[in-house]
Amino acid sequence: MTNYTKLPAILLLADGTVYYGKAAGKIGTTTGEICFNTGMTGYQEIFTDPSYFGQIMVTTNAHIGNYGIHREEIESDSIKIAGLVCKNYNIGFSRKEASESIQDYFQNENIVGISDIDTRALVRHIRHKGAMNAIISSEITDLEELKAKLAEVPSMDGLELSSQVSTKAAYFYGSPDATYKIAALDLGIKKNILRNFDDRDIYVQVFPAKTSFEEMDKWGADGYFISNGPGDPSAMPYAIETVKQILAADKPLFGICLGHQLLAEANGIGTMKMFNGHRGLNHPVKNIIKNHCEVTSQNHGFGVVPEEVRSSDKVEITHINLNDQSIEGIRVKGKKAFSVQYHPESSPGPHDSRYLFDDFIEMIKGELAW
């Protein structure tokens, strides 16, 4: 295990609020938009979820690192969070299958964090003040210097990030002998989404974020998938145009999270930056078509504008959030296209919503009964 000394560290928020704690991970400085996740487990999947690119993650669960790092549970090939804020940073771990400690993991991937702070007080502050930029440092103690560095960090509002986390070259996932073929636009796709497709006899070709529909269509896929990812959907005209062309070609389409927002944008419905967003494993959603409720896994800081969805003559609502009535799912009238804001691949999280992958197959087969 790597030697670890709890050096002092500072967390500074854009509104001037300061927290003093102990260094976690690499000694250094990092910046990003601060957000919190209420999940009680799954920290490794959270760290490697590309949708968190550019964000400093606050974990509300008190113990982080306690079951170590298991390489089979990553959602991408590297840690994507910009930094970590936690209460108890556990170097020792209990799980036999784990290959390394969180400290080894963070040092190897150059991740800066801070621990030993009151995360309950921090989360209450963020909930009241809203999402904002922050800086963590275990090497700079001068607050004025930290404020100057933080002032240079761009707002997440209007930021295009998906092209930075997307694959650089197309690749295949699954068996070439599978019954169905799906073309996936990688805007920050999670590996468990691909695993869910593979489990359902689907062969996937994953394309870089800025691939045109014309290029994707050459493969002759049975359907199209628009993935999750980071950043502001309104700053992605290239992806909005691709979705428009898929719809114009009347191809089966399924979108998750950012893919949901882009489907809305492609139908003239605006998106917005949320006050805090939804991040956790226990968000209640109602499927108003099937009249049942699901406990869902969520991770998003942007959403579709509810009023514009409700007034649209192009889409109809399929799912709503029971906490705040935000729009969690839509389908396009007269098209074989639907999307959800939450994460049915649920990694981590409950499996209530995995039926949506089966719905996609039924839609491809022309047998989906809404």
Side-chain angles (χ1 to χ4, degrees):
M1 183 183 296
T2 302
N3 291 331
Y4 172 62
T5 302
K6 284 195 171 185
L7 298 175
I10 297 173
L11 168 66
L12 170 66
L13 306 187
D15 67 356
T17 305
V18 182
Y19 294 86
Y20 295 93
K22 300 296 183 180
K26 180 186 176 182
I27 301 302
T29 302
T30 190
T31 61
E33 182 183 77
I34 195 163
C35 63
F36 60 90
N37 188 297
T38 59
M40 295 296 289
T41 187
Y43 56 76
Q44 189 175 337
E45 291 92 336
I46 292 169
F47 298 161
T48 55
D49 181 349
S51 294
Y52 285 125
F53 184 71
Q55 294 181 305
I56 291 174
M57 172 54 58
V58 182
T59 51
T60 62
N61 187 26
H63 297 280
I64 300 298
N66 53 312
Y67 55 84
I69 303 300
H70 190 353
R71 288 290 175 175
E72 292 184 7
E73 293 175 356
I74 60 173
E75 289 297 331
S76 64
D77 294 333
S78 64
I79 295 177
K80 293 300 190 296
I81 59 171
L84 174 69
V85 181
C86 65
K87 179 173 174 54
N88 298 322
Y89 184 69
N90 302 104
I91 308 302
F93 56 89
S94 59
R95 188 164 55 160
K96 292 181 180 179
E97 294 84 359
S99 59
E100 60 186 328
S101 71
I102 188 174
Q103 178 63 14
D104 289 331
Y105 190 40
F106 274 23
Q107 286 195 339
N108 290 336
E109 302 221 9
N110 298 314
I111 301 299
V112 175
I114 183 172
S115 67
D116 293 75
I117 70 168
D118 187 346
T119 49
R120 290 182 299 177
L122 173 59
V123 168
R124 285 173 66 90
H125 182 79
I126 298 170
R127 286 187 64 184
H128 179 65
K129 297 290 188 177
M132 68 183 81
N133 286 337
I135 184 168
I136 300 171
S137 185
S138 48
E139 61 181 356
I140 301 171
T141 58
D142 184 275
L143 287 178
E144 294 306 314
E145 184 178 350
L146 291 174
K147 288 178 182 178
K149 288 183 177 292
L150 182 54
E152 298 174 356
V153 181
S155 169
M156 189 68 73
D157 200 358
L159 212 54
E160 191 281 317
L161 296 175
S162 286
S163 60
Q164 296 184 47
V165 299
S166 177
T167 182
K168 304 305 179 187
Y171 65 92
F172 293 95
Y173 191 97
S175 170
D177 299 322
T179 303
Y180 306 102
K181 295 165 55 177
I182 287 177
L185 191 65
D186 176 14
L187 306 174
I189 198 167
K190 294 174 66 178
K191 288 191 175 181
N192 207 45
I193 291 174
L194 296 175
R195 296 184 192 110
N196 270 274
F197 283 137
D198 185 33
D199 289 344
R200 288 162 175 79
D201 200 24
I202 294 173
Y203 188 42
V204 185
Q205 186 170 11
V206 183
F207 292 90
K210 294 189 175 181
T211 308
S212 67
F213 167 67
E214 182 181 14
E215 183 63 28
M216 296 171 71
D217 196 46
K218 291 177 182 178
W219 191 47
D222 300 304
Y224 290 78
F225 175 74
I226 312 298
S227 85
N228 62 293
D232 187 340
S234 67
M236 301 173 64
Y238 63 90
I240 296 171
E241 180 59 29
T242 298
V243 174
K244 285 181 177 179
Q245 292 181 8
I246 295 171
L247 293 174
D250 202 25
K251 302 289 187 178
L253 183 150
F254 177 31
I256 288 176
C257 201
L258 181 58
H260 166 74
Q261 297 156 15
L262 292 170
L263 182 61
E265 289 275 2
N267 283 280
I269 296 166
T271 51
M272 61 180 183
K273 193 174 190 307
M274 302 176 74
F275 189 66
N276 266 312
H278 298 151
R279 298 175 181 91
L281 314 180
N282 60 347
H283 292 250
V285 167
K286 182 176 181 179
N287 182 327
I288 61 177
I289 304 300
K290 297 183 178 181
N291 196 32
H292 72 228
C293 293
E294 309 159 30
V295 178
T296 68
S297 178
Q298 304 218 3
N299 167 22
H300 59 102
F302 290 82
V304 300
V305 179
E307 297 78 12
E308 294 188 21
V309 177
R310 293 189 175 97
S311 63
S312 174
D313 60 357
K314 294 183 178 180
V315 306
E316 57 185 323
I317 300 169
T318 58
H319 300 74
I320 57 171
N321 188 301
L322 294 177
N323 284 335
D324 61 8
Q325 301 300 303
S326 58
I327 308 302
E328 294 280 1
I330 59 173
R331 64 185 182 191
V332 182
K333 296 178 181 179
K335 298 287 184 180
K336 294 174 285 187
F338 71 101
S339 62
V340 290
Q341 180 63 80
Y342 53 97
H343 282 264
E345 82 286 351
S346 52
S347 181
H351 296 179
D352 298 24
S353 307
R354 291 196 175 179
Y355 70 89
L356 291 162
F357 291 98
D358 301 315
D359 282 356
F360 187 34
I361 295 174
E362 293 301 303
M363 186 173 66
I364 289 172
K365 293 163 59 177
E367 298 177 1
L368 178 62
W370 289 103

